[in-house]
Amino acid sequence: MSQAEQSSTVETEKHQLRRGSLGVLAISFFVISAAAPLTAMAGGAPVAMLLGNGAGIPAAYVVVSLLLLIFSVGYTAMARHHTSTGAFYSYVTRGLRQPAGGAAAWIALLGYNAMQIGLYGLFGSAASGFLADQFGWDVPWWVCVLIAMAVIAVLGYRQVDLSVKVLSVLVLAEFIVVLILDVAIAVKGGEGGGAPLTLEPFSWSAFASGSVAIALLFNTASFVGFEATTIYSEEAKDPRRTVPRATYVAVLTIGLFYTVTTWLMVNAQGADGLVDFLGGLKPDPTAFLFVLSDTYLGSTLTTIMTLLFATSVFAALLAFHNAVARYLFALGREGLVPERLGRTHKVHLSPHAGSLSQTVLAVVIVAVFVITDQDPVLALFTWLTQLGTLAIITLMALASFAVVAFFLRHPDLDSNRLRTFVAPVVGGVATAAVAVYAASQFGLLISKPGSALSWILPALIVVAAVVGLVSAIVLKNKNPQLYEVMGRHRGDA
């Protein structure tokens, strides 16, 4: 170990996360809850069908699942030799060097913050709607959001295993309720019951209908959080085995579940006229899954599902909040953001400073949407979560090429070229192509045709990259030793 690395190690040993506290199942819960099964099926899938490729959404899920599995080959290969809660940032830094790592760091901050804050819009709408329908209470959506923010702030401040306990209960409940609906549709048949199920949603004509770019963007959003397996690597039990296993478990579970569920949803309504039906739902297309539940399960289970929908979004909010806090922790101890953010709590060993910072930012952004009277679902949720997804896809492309560069410099670590070169190159090219394609079609998400937001929002990714590049250069001049060991932590090659 070099003198610079020894100096960095001594400085950062004062602030460490709770090591060895998370196994495969625990990390998988964090990942799957970030993907939020009920949130994706009730919130994301109907909007994807409406704005994307309609009945072809199940086929789009197959494409995205395959793409992420290819990406995961190289990603997990490097995870066996590199452990850091910085995840994408640290991968890019180790592979493509520090300037690129600085850019990746700030793109990650933009992406995860956008995802987390955007989900508050969906939660506010779901919680407010539930209270109105079940109790007749007219509670503004933003009031529900403020309450959720307060609870998440407390959980994020405390020990990570407390969050696991909360998430495990919520995730299990939402999986069960969606599976019950899936079984009901499969048993009763499509189009309200009685019609045979069809594989038409997997046909090329269905996949290529509408906007494939928006479909791929929304469907990828359903998986965002799967890379959290490496974010929690410093808290994992035996990370060299736990992280790869949790990654594949998460991608396969999420992909299969979403593909089958959306296929059954399309069959339940019928492919013909699906988009028109979704467009006519009030107040927004996220009511689709509950309409199907009323038809196939009855009002009692639908009521339970609407409650779990709100708790599902809450689980996703908590998972993304934890991810953002850990990114800030990683970047704070490396000098790319204020050093105070790289400290852990003396008692809980949690990244409490990053947690508080994320909460404050969320309050400010949500307040802007409230003051400007924007729709919580079609504006706050849709705009920000898809911006976040676009940022994460960009990071995936950078990370794939970083894996290639890393193993070219360390060929002795893994001789399997399929794992270290072929798969990451294919994954990098594919994710880069999806990112460019989706960015070019981003205007379809904005309700006002020709709006400046159609290019301003994607341009924020470029702005974040420039800020990150500058922060790396500043760090090099301010602290050359810390700059030298950017992205390097426990057990690196």
Side-chain angles (χ1 to χ4, degrees), residues 198-276:
T198 172
L199 295 177
E200 173 62 23
F202 295 108
S203 67
W204 175 258
S205 59
F207 172 73
S209 64
S211 174
V212 177
I214 298 303
L216 294 176
L217 191 61
F218 264 98
N219 286 11
T220 304
S222 301
F223 286 85
V224 169
F226 85 97
E227 73 287 353
T229 51
T230 57
I231 290 177
Y232 296 102
S233 61
E234 290 185 30
E235 297 158 277
K237 300 173 183 176
D238 190 7
R240 295 177 186 273
R241 293 186 177 184
T242 300
V243 170
R245 289 177 180 176
T247 300
Y248 286 116
V249 167
V251 173
L252 289 171
T253 301
I254 295 169
L256 180 62
F257 184 75
Y258 289 171
T259 299
V260 172
T261 299
T262 52
W263 170 63
L264 291 169
M265 289 170 66
V266 171
N267 271 278
Q269 174 57 36
D272 296 336
L274 174 65
V275 174
D276 290 337

Side-chain angles (χ1 to χ4, degrees), residues 54-145:
I57 284 295
Y61 268 118
V62 173
V63 172
V64 171
S65 298
L66 292 175
L67 176 61
L68 294 184
L69 284 174
I70 294 172
F71 168 82
S72 296
V73 173
Y75 191 63
T76 57
M78 188 167 171
R80 294 183 175 91
H81 307 284
H82 174 75
T83 302
S84 174
T85 196
F88 282 146
Y89 148 71
S90 59
Y91 273 51
V92 174
T93 303
R94 293 300 309 279
L96 302 180
R97 300 306 190 188
Q98 289 90 332
W106 280 80
I107 292 174
L109 285 179
L110 172 66
Y112 286 113
N113 272 295
M115 288 295 296
Q116 205 265 357
I117 297 170
L119 282 169
Y120 274 119
L122 187 60
F123 175 81
S125 176
S128 178
F130 178 81
L131 293 175
D133 293 341
Q134 302 303 318
F135 303 102
W137 299 347
D138 185 16
V139 181
W141 67 271
W142 55 268
V143 172
C144 298
V145 167

